[in-house]
Every structure is written in C-alpha cells, then in structure tokens.
C-alpha cells in the first residue's frame, strides 16, 4: 500500500464507519419492517438470540442481490475500518495520535492546525512523517490495493 492509498484510507474512515453501522442495521433487520421494537412473547422470547454479524454460507446464498452487494460492501468497509483503527498502536507520540484521530474524523489540515495551534505546514510535515512511518512498518494487508504494490 503506498502513501496516497494509506492517506485515503485514513480520510475515508469517518464515513465508512457510519456506512458499516447503517448496513449492519439493514442486514440485521433493525431498520426493517419487523424493527427492533417488535416484542416477542412466549417461547420465542426465551430462545437464544444470534449475537454474530457474520453470515453463514447458507444465509449468503439465500440473500437477494441487493443484500449480497450490501454484505460485500459491509465486509470491505469493516476491514478498512479495522486497519485504520489499528494504526494508533504503531504511534509512540501523543501528538501524532491526535493528528491521526483528527484525520480519522475527516478534519482538514487547516482545521487540525487551528485545533492544535500550529501552522498547517507543520501539520502537513507531521502527517507525512507519520504516513511514512506506517509505510515503513508495512504490516498492512496488501488486498486493499488492486495492484500488489509495496510501500
């Protein structure tokens, strides 16, 4: 994964996490016609509820085309979100963690600079150093890129 792809992955985090939550609600029928507010009575209320969001092979085969497309997008975005969330483990400096968190929220370099009280050029330099550091570690899955490029 090159620097530009990694930076895009970080900046896309803020909307992908929302999309993961939205698709999860759709696939689990929380926003559907039955809804989460449907009360269950009798023996159905005492039965164990599934607590997994992963679908079995049989469930995937039974899905409609739209649901399959949503599920594939859900899995792809979920992997992206997990990778971005793991980036903070590779930072030793609290200042860099703040910059990463702000980038994950979708803040621009100018707004990060105003938040931290430093120039946007300094934020840009720190961001570039941080992304270079991530690329040097190179522990990130290569399946996020179409071409198998190295950092």
């Amino acid at each position: 994964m090159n620097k530009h792809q990694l930076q895009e992955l970080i900046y896309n985090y803020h909307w992908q996490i929302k999309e993961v939550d939205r698709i999860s609600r759709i696939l689990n029928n929380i926003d559907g016609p039955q809804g989460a507010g449907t009360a269950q009575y009798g023996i159905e209320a005492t039965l164990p509820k599934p607590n997994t969001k992963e679908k079995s092979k049989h469930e995937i085969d039974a899905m409609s085309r739209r649901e399959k497309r949503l599920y594939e997008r859900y899995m792809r975005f979920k992997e992206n979100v997990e990778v971005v969330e793991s980036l903070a483990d590779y930072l030793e400096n609290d200042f860099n963690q703040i910059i990463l968190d702000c980038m994950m929220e979708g803040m621009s370099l100018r707004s990060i600079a105003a938040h931290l009280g430093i120039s946007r050029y300094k934020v840009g330099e720190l961001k570039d150093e941080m992304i270079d550091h991530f690329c040097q570690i190179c522990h990130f899955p290569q399946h996020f890129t179409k071409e198998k490029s190295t950092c």
Side-chain angles (χ1 to χ4, degrees):
M1 180 177 301
N2 64 29
K3 287 174 56 171
H4 179 70
Q5 292 168 328
L6 184 58
Q7 183 174 333
E8 286 296 314
L9 199 63
I10 294 169
Y11 273 117
N12 290 338
Y13 173 85
H14 76 282
W15 64 266
Q16 285 184 355
I17 190 85
K18 292 176 188 175
E19 187 67 5
V20 164
D21 186 45
R22 184 187 76 84
I23 293 172
S24 174
R25 285 192 317 255
I26 290 171
L27 293 176
N28 293 319
N29 291 329
I30 293 173
D31 290 340
Q34 292 89 17
T38 303
Q40 292 182 339
Y41 300 100
I43 192 72
E44 290 85 14
T46 62
L47 294 175
K49 313 299 183 282
N51 59 358
T52 179
K53 295 183 193 248
E54 301 295 322
K55 301 279 186 188
S56 69
K57 178 72 172 151
H58 179 69
E59 289 173 317
I60 291 173
D61 291 340
M63 286 182 184
S64 69
R65 292 172 84 189
R66 178 179 179 268
E67 287 175 324
K68 285 181 183 178
R69 192 175 61 243
L70 285 173
Y71 183 71
E72 290 169 2
R73 188 180 324 140
Y74 169 79
M75 293 306 292
R76 189 175 64 245
F77 286 173
K78 184 178 175 187
E79 288 180 34
N80 291 349
V81 164
E82 289 172 356
V83 167
V84 173
E85 287 175 347
S86 71
L87 291 176
D89 297 338
Y90 298 101
L91 295 174
E92 304 88 24
N93 186 347
D94 288 337
F95 204 69
N96 285 340
Q97 288 180 349
I98 293 169
I99 293 173
L100 177 64
D101 288 339
C102 290
M103 288 174 65
M104 288 168 60
E105 292 173 12
M107 293 174 66
S108 67
L109 293 181
R110 183 173 290 179
S111 59
I112 295 171
H115 172 67
L116 296 174
I118 58 176
S119 73
R120 66 184 166 131
Y121 300 109
K122 182 65 177 174
V123 172
E125 289 174 4
L126 292 170
K127 175 198 63 118
D128 289 339
E129 289 174 10
M130 181 176 57
I131 291 178
D132 286 339
H133 175 69
F134 292 147
C135 281
Q136 287 174 357
I137 293 169
C138 220
H139 287 297
F140 305 107
Q142 294 295 324
H143 66 273
F144 289 108
T145 62
K146 299 280 189 280
E147 68 285 344
K148 299 275 185 180
S149 65
T150 59
C151 296

